[in-house]
């Protein structure tokens, strides 16, 4: 009987240990990122376009969502870096770029790149168990490059959008596409409005991809490089008005694309001119003829009724300048410019070059 009791106790103890072990293994498995869908994320970004994406990931972290940990890589040298300020306020761990080895060796599931501007080394890309994702502000392969929002407006495009893609080494914006969101560019939309809209839509699309990563990874599509167009960095020449080559609408689209970023530039009598505020209104040819609006290319006419400078463009259309500066002087209204400069010039000299 004692032997039987001992055997029963041993069997019971064995079963209890097995049950406890199975519970422990199950609990540990559920806590792994692959089982629970949790993601440890290293975020790369620098500017205001990156900020909504970082915020939405941080909100997921704080609400015990898909993001289980979040750290940020940015450039400490960047002026007015909103990511650095936000990360410090939210007590997110920050890393300066270039990234140092201890941070690289940390265990992350996924890298996320949003408006970062630096190529990520292949060794770093491969260190993420689930690779790296990028939020790009165009419908790839259209407008690959650093300034897709500016180029979309300058080109007169009717729509643009957001692409979430995989990051590949050695090249920008060539990775497989996980998802895209289309956004219309309305008639008089200025760059800051489109920039803000795309940043918010990109953040939402990014989180949705991360929450459903298995689905998107199983259905991504390769880009067709034959259809690629490009959106290089903006330089000083980009802002120059070429009156003999550009229609009124093209001048206006250029203005909209650079609004709040940099003024358009031209020259008058050898002096540099910055055009700060400009408008454009499409008029029927008959109406324009009645109003006597046809001007030579680059010719300036002051309109007293509207208190604007009217300038002739390539196709016979015009644009109206409301604010400008000349020779590095302060910004002035069209009326001030007319009184101080234009009215004192010979009519034949009143031409933007």
């Amino acid at each position: 009987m004692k032997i039987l009791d001992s055997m029963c106790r041993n069997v019971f103890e064995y079963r209890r240990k097995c049950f406890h072990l199975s519970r422990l293994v199950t609990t540990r498995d559920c806590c792994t990122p692959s089982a629970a869908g949790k993601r440890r994320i290293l975020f790369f970004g620098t500017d205001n376009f990156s900020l909504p994406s970082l915020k939405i990931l941080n909100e997921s972290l704080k609400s015990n969502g898909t993001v289980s940990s979040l750290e940020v890589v940015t450039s400490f040298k960047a002026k007015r870096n909103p990511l650095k300020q936000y990360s410090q306020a939210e007590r997110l761990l920050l890393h300066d770029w270039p990234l140092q080895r201890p941070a690289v060796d940390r265990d992350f599931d996924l890298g996320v790149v949003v408006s970062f501007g630096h190529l990520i080394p292949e060794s770093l890309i491969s260190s993420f168990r689930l690779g790296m994702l990028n939020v790009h502000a165009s419908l790839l392969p259209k407008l690959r490059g650093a300034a897709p929002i500016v180029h979309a407006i300058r080109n007169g495009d009717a729509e643009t959008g957001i692409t979430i893609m995989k990051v590949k080494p050695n090249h920008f914006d060539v990775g497989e596409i996980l998802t895209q969101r289309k956004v219309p560019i309305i008639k008089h939309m200025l760059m800051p409005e489109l920039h803000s809209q795309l940043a918010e839509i990109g953040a939402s699309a990014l989180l949705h991809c991360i929450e459903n990563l298995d689905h998107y990874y199983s259905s991504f599509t390769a880009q067709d490089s034959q259809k690629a167009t490009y959106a290089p960095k903006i330089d000083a020449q980009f802002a120059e008005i070429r009156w003999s080559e550009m229609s009124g609408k093209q001048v206006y689209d250029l203005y909209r694309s650079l609004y709040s970023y940099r003024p358009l530039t031209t020259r008058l009598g050898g002096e540099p001119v910055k055009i700060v505020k400009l408008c454009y209104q499409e008029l029927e040819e008959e109406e324009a003829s009645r109003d006597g609006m046809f001007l030579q290319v680059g010719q300036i006419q002051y309109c007293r009724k509207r208190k604007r400078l009217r300038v002739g463009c390539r196709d016979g259309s015009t644009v109206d300048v409301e604010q400008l500066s000349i020779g590095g002087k302060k910004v002035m209204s069209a009326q001030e410019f007319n009184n101080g400069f234009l009215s004192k010039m010979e009519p034949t000299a009143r031409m933007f070059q």
Side-chain angles (χ1 to χ4, degrees):
M1 181 66 70
K2 288 182 180 180
I3 295 174
L4 183 61
D5 287 344
S6 177
M7 289 177 62
C8 288
R9 282 195 300 271
N10 289 340
V11 169
F12 176 77
E13 183 65 21
Y14 174 74
R15 287 179 175 177
R16 187 185 67 80
K17 287 181 178 179
C18 286
F19 176 75
H20 176 72
L21 182 60
S22 68
R23 287 290 302 274
L24 182 63
V25 171
T26 302
T27 301
R28 285 177 177 173
D29 286 346
C30 289
C31 291
T32 63
S34 58
K38 298 288 187 178
R39 312 296 185 204
R40 297 170 296 226
I41 294 176
L42 186 60
F43 185 92
F44 298 75
T46 303
D47 60 17
N48 281 315
F49 188 82
S50 331
L51 190 56
S53 290
L54 179 59
K55 284 182 175 180
I56 204 168
L57 296 182
N58 190 40
E59 288 166 6
S60 175
L61 172 67
K62 293 194 291 187
S63 64
N64 196 30
T66 301
V67 180
S68 62
S69 69
L70 180 63
E71 298 180 21
V72 179
V73 180
T74 191
S75 173
F76 289 0
K77 295 178 182 178
K79 296 179 181 178
R80 294 175 294 183
N81 186 334
L83 261 69
K84 185 177 179 182
Q85 295 176 0
Y86 176 79
S87 298
Q88 289 173 334
E90 293 293 312
R91 298 183 179 179
L92 295 173
L93 187 58
L94 273 165
H95 305 278
D96 193 10
W97 183 262
L99 205 54
Q100 301 301 312
R101 288 304 310 178
V104 176
D105 294 336
R106 203 182 300 274
D107 191 13
F108 295 100
D109 300 307
L110 185 68
V112 172
V113 184
V114 186
S115 192
F116 187 55
H118 301 278
L119 277 174
I120 309 297
E122 185 172 3
S123 59
L124 180 54
I125 296 172
S126 62
S127 71
F128 296 102
R129 183 175 66 86
L130 297 172
M132 298 190 77
L133 301 183
N134 174 238
V135 180
H136 184 76
S138 80
L139 299 172
L140 291 170
K142 189 175 184 180
L143 297 179
R144 294 174 175 175
I149 301 174
V150 172
H151 283 270
I153 298 176
R154 195 281 302 269
N155 293 347
D157 292 346
E159 70 174 9
T160 185
I162 283 292
T163 299
I164 310 296
M165 66 173 178
K166 294 185 71 176
V167 174
K168 282 190 170 182
N170 307 319
H171 298 283
F172 286 111
D173 308 330
V174 298
E176 294 88 353
I177 295 170
L178 276 67
T179 189
Q180 293 184 319
R181 303 284 191 274
K182 293 183 178 181
V183 176
I185 304 176
I186 60 177
K187 190 172 183 179
H188 296 291
M189 179 179 278
L190 302 174
M191 187 271 288
E193 181 183 354
L194 183 59
H195 185 281
S196 176
Q197 198 174 112
L198 289 171
E200 294 294 339
I201 292 170
S204 176
L206 171 66
L207 182 61
H208 193 267
C209 275
I210 293 172
E211 291 174 340
N212 302 275
L213 202 56
D214 291 342
H215 165 72
Y216 284 108
Y217 271 5
S218 67
S219 59
F220 61 70
T221 58
Q223 294 188 43
D224 183 354
S225 293
Q226 297 296 319
K227 297 180 180 179
T229 60
Y230 296 91
K233 288 181 179 180
I234 304 305
D235 57 19
Q237 289 185 339
F238 187 90
E240 293 176 2
I241 303 175
R242 300 182 300 278
W243 299 102
S244 62
E245 301 174 20
M246 301 172 73
S247 67
K249 183 179 184 305
Q250 287 173 327
V251 174
Y252 180 57
D253 288 342
L254 179 62
Y255 166 76
R256 293 191 302 128
S257 75
L258 294 174
Y259 183 83
S260 81
Y261 178 62
R262 66 167 63 195
L264 304 191
T265 58
T266 186
R267 301 188 74 83
L268 176 65
E271 290 284 349
V273 174
K274 294 180 180 179
I275 295 179
V276 178
K277 190 173 182 181
L278 177 149
C279 61
Y280 169 72
Q281 187 174 12
E282 294 177 295
L283 296 174
E284 295 295 334
E285 184 175 336
E286 186 177 333
E287 182 183 352
S289 180
R290 284 200 310 269
D291 290 346
M293 291 180 61
F294 288 125
L295 301 173
Q296 297 179 43
V297 173
Q299 184 180 354
I300 311 165
Q301 179 188 78
Y302 179 64
C303 179
R304 296 188 180 280
K305 182 179 180 180
R306 296 187 180 183
K307 296 183 179 179
R308 295 173 180 173
L309 301 173
R310 189 165 290 155
V311 187
C313 299
R314 184 203 64 195
D315 59 347
S317 62
T318 63
V319 292
D320 287 355
V321 177
E322 297 184 39
Q323 293 181 350
L324 69 166
S325 70
I326 183 168
K329 295 180 173 62
K330 69 175 185 177
V331 175
M332 63 190 83
S333 68
Q335 184 178 23
E336 291 170 333
F337 178 80
N338 178 65
N339 294 339
F341 294 91
L342 196 64
S343 62
K344 300 174 183 178
M345 300 177 68
E346 293 293 328
T348 55
R350 299 172 187 175
M351 305 281 290
F352 283 138
Q353 296 92 34

